[in-house]
Amino acid sequence: MKKLGFLPRAVAVALVVLGLSSCAPPSSADAEKHKKESLKFLVENEKKPGVLSTASGLQYMILDEGTGISPKATDTVTVKYRGSLISGQEFDSGENVSFPLNGVIRGWTEGLQLMKEGAKYRFFIPPKLAYGKSGVGRVIPPNSALIFDVELVKVNSTD
């Protein structure tokens, strides 16, 4: 079973049980199509007012600044989130979900460290910082850029 980096294990197991995640390899034509769509979206998105970018290619918008502490990659965080494809199709959401920050997709690990408790950001995550050319079964196609609205509720610091 493919580990879903942004979902708790119980949700990932449920996706497999419901048949929404499969082990079938993605077609190379689909992978190439999504790669081109993702690149086009990210190039255009970066030009929009309020969109910031990191050296890795992560794009984000600050919807609401927080006032608390910022997490380190080794911290456990609690978040509220909504994830969608660039088409707008929502594939997941959660409220008060806790996880170790270094146990999720790279785009989340990097992006959440930019935030402070109470902040709300929108992440535009390139495929290389998400699930890359493998995707996640029928839930997230190969080479898909992802959009997440995330609120950092709490940082459970390891210090």
Side-chain angles (χ1 to χ4, degrees):
M1 177 177 77
K2 173 121 176 103
K3 181 178 181 240
L4 299 176
F6 59 91
L7 296 174
R9 181 167 168 70
V11 175
V13 171
L15 287 173
V16 172
V17 170
L18 294 171
L20 297 175
S21 181
S22 69
C23 295
S27 79
S28 59
D30 280 347
E32 190 59 31
K33 176 184 138 205
H34 291 294
K35 183 177 182 179
K36 287 178 182 176
E37 290 172 351
S38 293
L39 179 60
K40 180 180 177 186
F41 171 83
L42 291 165
V43 166
E44 290 301 314
N45 191 62
E46 190 172 36
K47 298 173 187 173
K48 293 180 181 175
V51 174
L52 305 167
S53 297
T54 67
S56 71
L58 174 69
Q59 297 177 5
Y60 64 99
M61 291 178 70
I62 301 170
L63 305 176
D64 196 6
E65 282 284 3
T67 57
I69 62 172
S70 294
K72 297 181 299 298
T74 55
D75 290 336
T76 296
V77 296
T78 301
V79 301
K80 296 178 185 178
Y81 70 95
R82 176 188 176 276
S84 64
L85 303 174
I86 60 174
S87 66
Q89 177 184 344
E90 183 176 324
F91 58 82
D92 191 37
S93 64
E95 297 232 357
N96 298 318
V97 178
S98 296
F99 51 85
L101 193 50
N102 59 6
V104 293
I105 59 175
R106 289 176 36 211
W108 271 57
T109 302
E110 179 181 353
L112 279 157
Q113 290 180 82
L114 301 171
M115 301 174 73
K116 295 180 181 179
E117 284 178 329
K120 294 179 186 177
Y121 280 31
R122 179 166 294 141
F123 297 134
F124 306 94
I125 303 177
K128 69 180 181 178
L129 300 178
Y131 294 101
K133 59 186 168 187
S134 63
V136 180
R138 290 177 278 175
V139 179
I140 299 172
N143 289 324
S144 290
L146 305 177
I147 302 171
F148 284 97
D149 287 336
V150 180
E151 178 181 350
L152 179 56
V153 177
K154 182 166 178 46
V155 175
N156 301 303
S157 181
T158 55
D159 289 339

